[in-house]
Amino acid sequence: MRLSYLSEKFKIILKTTPLMQAQLTEFYSHIPMRAITVRFFNPFTGDYKTIECYRGDRKASMLFDFDGVGKLYDEVSQSLIEL
């Protein structure tokens, strides 16, 4: 069996520190539901790359629900996948 690559596709995962509900809402509000252009540093080649990507999977799990203060979410993540 031989491995041969057909193409290369990037997936960028954005992660945060623990967030309160208002911060979580603000974080997701800055990531549009349409295709976006992202410029990032590629550590394998050592240079910057620009890709068109869409919003993929997201993960948010609640840690605590404080009475009168709000909800605290653990590391929130959002993936951006190349078109």
Side-chain angles (χ1 to χ4, degrees):
M1 186 170 170
R2 175 178 269 184
L3 176 66
S4 53
Y5 293 101
L6 298 175
S7 67
E8 181 178 73
K9 198 172 197 180
F10 289 96
K11 178 178 181 179
I12 300 167
I13 300 174
L14 308 173
K15 287 194 172 189
T16 68
T17 57
L19 299 174
M20 295 301 288
Q21 178 67 50
Q23 296 168 318
L24 174 74
T25 304
E26 182 183 358
F27 174 72
Y28 284 130
S29 72
H30 290 293
I31 304 169
M33 295 286 284
R34 57 176 170 73
I36 58 174
T37 303
V38 176
R39 184 171 186 259
F40 66 97
F41 179 74
N42 185 344
F44 299 106
T45 61
D47 48 337
Y48 285 89
K49 181 158 181 70
T50 302
I51 60 171
E52 287 285 318
C53 56
Y54 66 93
R55 188 161 97 167
D57 298 332
R58 61 183 156 182
K59 181 184 135 204
S61 56
M62 190 172 60
L63 285 176
F64 298 107
D65 187 1
F66 299 109
D67 290 334
V69 176
K71 297 176 180 154
L72 177 67
Y73 291 87
D74 197 7
E75 285 185 342
V76 174
S77 68
Q78 172 70 58
S79 64
L80 301 174
I81 303 168
E82 185 175 17
L83 290 172

